[in-house]
Amino acid sequence: MTVSGLATHFWLGVLTPLTAVCVIPLYPAFIAFLASADGEGRRRSPLLLGALVVTGVVAFMTLVGVVYSLVLGQAVNDAVETVSPVAFWILAGVGIVMLTRPTLFASLPTVEPPQSEYPAASAFGYGFFFGAIIIPCNPGLIATFFSTTPVLYDTQLGSMLGFLAFGLGIGAPLLAFAVVSETAGRTVTRFLAQHSTHVYRATGIIVLAVAAYYIWFVFAAVPFVG
């Protein structure tokens, strides 16, 4: 386990929701929720609600991390040497598809997060739901995360911390929306929606670059080379 590995997964987490086209429609509703959330006449702090959203995201990723690290982790680590090169070739294919056919993954359907009469519960539920919906919604960076996890960490503790770093990264943009003004938040989400094709292509470039790095330099899995 390395600090650079945790930093890598945190920034992968930050990029994941910002480049997931099918979750962009959720942002305006989230911003409106932060702006109008009240409970029994007492206004809730957007920063507090944002922190609860991040807690929900981290809770979901912790759940996934427990399953991965404690149930699948050893088996995955035992198979890293054989499976990882193949996984990164598949990841390169995903990157190429995102780069050349950005609307393919962007057309994935989205659903609204659950709501309750209690703002705090709604915020936590939103974060938990957001963590769940992001996995099928941004296959490129999610695949990058899962592919690099057994490479960067050689212990169950390291894998768990990697999942926590990734979850914190996913929640960071949502917390940022809670901090900035409603107008600024809507400006950002509108920009992402209007440039969704370019956003997905940029993600494809990132995914393809990561895959190429691991294929070429880490596993030396390029045919007829070396």
Side-chain angles (χ1 to χ4, degrees):
M1 180 186 68
T2 63
V3 174
S4 62
L6 295 176
T8 296
H9 279 168
F10 173 80
W11 285 112
L12 273 178
V14 171
L15 288 173
T16 297
L18 294 179
T19 58
V21 177
C22 61
V23 303
I24 290 177
L26 299 180
Y27 293 142
F30 173 63
I31 294 170
F33 164 71
L34 291 176
S36 62
D38 287 278
E40 298 180 356
R42 292 177 300 174
R43 189 175 182 79
R44 294 296 192 271
S45 166
L47 182 58
L48 173 60
L49 293 177
L52 288 170
V53 170
V54 175
T55 302
V57 174
V58 172
F60 177 81
M61 292 309 301
T62 299
L63 178 62
V64 176
V66 167
V67 174
Y68 177 92
S69 301
L70 301 184
V71 179
L72 304 176
Q74 190 57 50
V76 171
N77 289 338
D78 289 344
V80 166
E81 188 173 340
T82 301
V83 174
S84 286
V86 177
F88 280 101
W89 276 110
I90 295 174
L91 182 61
V94 172
I96 292 172
V97 171
M98 296 180 75
L99 184 59
T100 59
R101 298 275 307 277
T103 58
L104 185 63
F105 292 127
S107 61
L108 291 172
T110 186
V111 292
E112 290 296 320
Q115 296 287 336
S116 77
E117 59 180 312
Y118 303 105
S122 293
F124 179 86
Y126 188 102
F128 194 90
F129 170 87
F130 197 85
I133 199 66
I134 204 76
I135 289 181
C137 201
N138 197 342
L141 291 186
I142 293 297
T144 302
F145 168 69
F146 277 102
S147 297
T148 55
T149 294
V151 179
L152 294 174
Y153 313 107
D154 55 4
T155 65
Q156 292 179 344
L157 175 60
S159 295
M160 279 299 306
L161 291 177
F163 273 86
L164 289 176
F166 188 64
L168 287 171
I170 291 175
L174 296 174
L175 184 60
F177 282 133
V179 173
V180 302
S181 68
E182 182 180 2
T183 300
R186 292 188 182 279
T187 299
V188 172
T189 58
R190 185 164 53 248
F191 174 86
L192 292 174
Q194 290 174 345
H195 298 83
S196 59
T197 298
H198 299 299
V199 168
Y200 235 59
R201 282 179 173 154
T203 307
I205 292 173
I206 294 171
V207 170
L208 192 56
V210 171
Y213 171 79
Y214 277 89
I215 289 171
W216 192 288
F217 294 104
V218 177
F219 298 107
V222 180
F224 313 116
V225 174

